[in-house]
């Protein structure tokens, strides 16, 4: 009503954004022979997965209901 989000809604939004990044598989779409790019793209995917896992854990600790 005030134009703000609760912490709970923000966690769900963050999780959904991280999931959409993982599902986009942009590193598979933008294939290249450039080893440095491939290394960075894989690192981004790993970090995104780890970040999503942290968000999922925070959501699992939220009070039910």
């Amino acid at each position: 009503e005030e134009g703000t989000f609760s912490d709970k809604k923000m966690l769900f939004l963050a999780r959904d954004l991280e999931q959409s990044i993982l599902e986009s598989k942009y590193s598979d779409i933008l294939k290249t022979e450039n080893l440095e790019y491939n290394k960075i793209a894989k690192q981004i995917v790993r970090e995104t997965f780890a970040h999503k896992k942290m968000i999922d854990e925070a959501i699992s600790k939220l009070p039910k209901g």
Side-chain angles (χ1 to χ4, degrees):
E1 295 170 13
E2 297 176 6
T4 61
F5 290 103
S6 68
D7 290 345
K8 183 177 180 178
K9 284 185 181 181
M10 288 304 294
L11 281 172
F12 283 107
L13 177 61
R15 185 214 38 211
D16 292 347
L17 288 170
E18 296 286 346
Q19 185 62 40
S20 70
I21 291 169
L22 291 169
E23 289 175 356
S24 71
K25 298 189 183 249
Y26 67 91
S27 61
D28 291 342
I29 295 168
L30 300 173
K31 294 189 182 217
T32 180
E33 299 292 323
N34 185 307
L35 297 177
E36 186 66 21
Y37 170 84
N38 291 332
K39 180 181 173 184
I40 292 169
K42 286 179 184 179
Q43 181 67 28
I44 291 169
V45 169
R46 279 193 301 273
E47 289 178 11
T48 302
F49 182 78
H51 192 241
K52 181 185 173 292
K53 184 177 176 185
M54 289 174 17
I55 295 168
D56 284 336
E57 290 171 3
I59 288 171
S60 72
K61 294 176 183 174
L62 291 172
K64 304 296 182 218

